[in-house]
Amino acid sequence: MPGHDQARRLGMCDAPTAPLRVVLLASATSAHTRRWADDLAALGHEVTVCSWHEPGLGSDGWRTASAPDGACRPLRVLRAGHWLRREVRRARPDVIHVHSLGVHGALSLLLPAHPAVPVVITPWGSELRAAGQHSGRALVARLALRRAARVVPTSREVAELVASRYRVLSSRITVLSWGVPDALLDAGNDADPRLTRAKYGIPAGVTVALSVRSTSEVYRTHEILAAFTRAARVRPDLFLVLVAGHQPAHAAARRAQQEYLALLRARARDLAGRVAVIDQPLGQAEMFSLMRASDAAISVPQADQRSSSVLEAAAAGCWLLLSDIAPYRELVAEGLLADLLPDPLVSSLADALSNARPLNAKDRLSNRMLISHAERGSLKVAELERLYRDVARAGAV
């Protein structure tokens, strides 16, 4: 007879819908991680977040554990291996889900080479792009992806990249978007956008373009500001909103963010009264309210996956201005109404902003219905839950 844990995974002890034990190997400071943990815990699953970073504020629904601190990185890595294996023994998970191929992908290599617990990996598009330019990152990505029982990107382009560059069998790849939380999709539409605009110092009567991604080089915020500067000369009603985003966990990354923001503010001073930079971190509901108070939403990275921010902006009714990259072309092919902007970005975005307009009611409804039916968060979590059960069952046999 199998042992209790094996029997549990085979469904011999519990009903098929018994709660799962899940370890998320992910940044505890990430809003994405907290959302996944909250969603899984709300379904009754036992969730533990194991993070290289300090966990920050905890949650009543799940527990966090952070890697032991230390100034000496080699020693900290050695201690992290013992810490991670101890936490896994404590949690006795049915599945370990690694979010990102950065530091947490590297941490996953400290698990046993042939783990009794199946490992699922969600690679981030930005990290795969970085891996294409750095041999060390590429090695971590290759080793981590090949050891995974299932790789779960959010776009078909990344799925194809994982299969071709890293030789992961297509049978071990499942494309799964993160979707948009039901609470946002089902929120009432009667909130007065003028109140939201006033809260963030946005004048009444202007046409608002919102950069929906964090201010950073990855999201080309300097180029967004340069394009806006051009468009503002012919559109006196145009107003730009930039959101600093979450504060990075590493001190060096925090310094880089502040230096980047300082350059943005210096350039924005020439556009006094036309640009707002929101420094404070915004919760999901606050960001969605800001989207609903905006006319256009901008997301123009050179590489991405199926971004939740873009999906939320579509659900909020924004006119979408997106870079012309494969994941965004996928969305347009599925029926999303958006303008795809080719390089050179400053020129194409300036032209688009010069013609910025609110979406008409028909197009707003079309995008909202598409997101509500195809990208509803509860449906995505249910798909993830089924995937966990499938890999846990396969791993126990």
Side-chain angles (χ1 to χ4, degrees):
M1 287 292 289
H4 176 75
D5 279 354
Q6 184 182 17
R8 184 177 186 272
R9 296 191 188 102
L10 287 168
M12 296 173 64
C13 294
D14 300 301
T17 56
L20 293 164
R21 293 190 290 256
V22 180
V23 164
L24 299 181
L25 188 51
S27 172
T29 64
S30 164
H32 289 304
T33 301
R34 305 185 79 81
R35 173 185 158 188
W36 297 319
D38 285 341
D39 287 348
L40 290 167
L43 292 174
H45 303 304
E46 297 177 34
V47 180
T48 300
V49 176
C50 291
S51 174
W52 180 257
H53 309 120
E54 288 297 324
L57 296 175
S59 170
D60 293 335
W62 42 274
R63 62 178 292 268
T64 61
S66 57
D69 203 354
C72 175
R73 183 171 286 267
L75 179 59
R76 186 182 182 195
V77 170
L78 179 64
R79 294 173 61 197
H82 296 297
W83 159 79
L84 180 58
R85 289 187 288 271
R86 184 179 68 247
E87 289 297 334
V88 169
R89 287 194 298 270
R90 175 180 176 179
R92 296 187 299 126
D94 298 294
V95 63
I96 298 171
H97 194 157
V98 182
H99 283 287
S100 90
L101 283 171
V103 65
H104 294 95
L107 277 177
S108 74
L109 301 180
L110 301 177
L111 294 167
H114 301 285
V117 181
V119 174
V120 173
I121 291 182
T122 292
W124 288 25
S126 58
E127 289 164 348
L128 288 176
R129 181 179 176 82
Q133 303 167 354
H134 189 283
S135 59
R137 290 174 181 264
L139 179 61
V140 168
R142 184 176 299 109
L143 293 174
L145 289 169
R146 289 186 177 180
R147 291 173 60 172
R150 195 74 60 91
V151 181
V152 192
T154 69
S155 74
R156 291 191 294 275
E157 181 201 33
V158 171
E160 291 165 3
L161 177 65
V162 167
S164 61
R165 181 185 294 174
Y166 297 101
R167 301 291 188 266
V168 176
L169 294 176
S170 58
S171 60
R172 293 199 292 117
I173 302 173
T174 300
V175 177
L176 179 60
S177 166
W178 299 333
V180 176
D182 292 24
L184 300 185
L185 292 174
D186 297 336
N189 294 318
D190 54 354
D192 189 341
R194 292 176 297 182
L195 298 177
T196 301
R197 292 188 178 194
K199 177 180 178 181
Y200 297 109
I202 303 170
V206 296
T207 299
V208 180
L210 168 66
S211 177
V212 296
R213 313 303 288 273
S214 300
T215 52
S216 69
E217 186 176 350
V218 169
Y219 295 119
R220 304 168 83 177
T221 317
H222 275 306
E223 291 169 84
I224 293 172
L225 185 56
F228 176 81
T229 301
R230 288 192 192 180
R233 295 175 190 144
V234 297
R235 285 290 302 272
D237 65 314
L238 204 57
F239 191 92
L240 177 65
V241 180
L242 304 176
V243 180
H246 77 280
Q247 189 178 77
H250 294 294
R254 286 196 296 272
R255 286 194 299 271
Q257 182 192 56
Q258 290 306 312
E259 290 170 2
Y260 195 85
L261 280 168
L263 289 172
L264 283 172
R265 290 193 187 94
R267 292 183 62 181
R269 278 197 290 269
D270 297 331
L271 294 159
R274 307 288 300 276
V275 179
V277 180
I278 300 175
D279 286 325
Q280 71 266 31
L282 299 181
Q284 199 167 55
E286 291 174 307
M287 187 65 186
F288 193 68
S289 293
L290 187 56
M291 290 174 177
R292 287 180 53 195
S294 302
D295 300 298
I298 305 168
S299 179
V300 287
Q302 292 178 318
D304 204 0
Q305 291 203 68
R306 182 159 295 202
S307 161
S308 291
S309 296
V310 170
L311 300 177
E312 289 167 14
C318 293
W319 174 39
L320 301 177
L321 300 176
L322 311 177
S323 47
D324 188 7
I325 56 176
Y328 295 165
R329 290 195 290 271
E330 290 175 16
L331 286 169
V332 171
E334 292 170 15
L336 191 73
L337 299 172
D339 283 11
L340 300 178
L341 308 175
D343 284 324
L345 176 66
V346 172
S347 177
S348 62
L349 179 55
D351 288 344
L353 288 172
S354 297
N355 296 290
R357 65 195 184 277
L359 277 184
N360 62 48
K362 179 182 177 182
D363 290 346
R364 288 167 65 94
L365 180 61
S366 175
N367 272 355
R368 185 174 180 83
M369 293 300 291
L370 175 67
I371 300 301
S372 184
H373 285 101
E375 297 289 348
R376 181 169 285 274
S378 58
L379 299 179
K380 300 303 178 182
V381 175
E383 289 182 50
L384 181 63
E385 185 182 35
R386 286 193 292 271
L387 183 147
Y388 284 166
R389 294 190 187 280
D390 287 346
V391 296
R393 191 178 300 111
V397 174

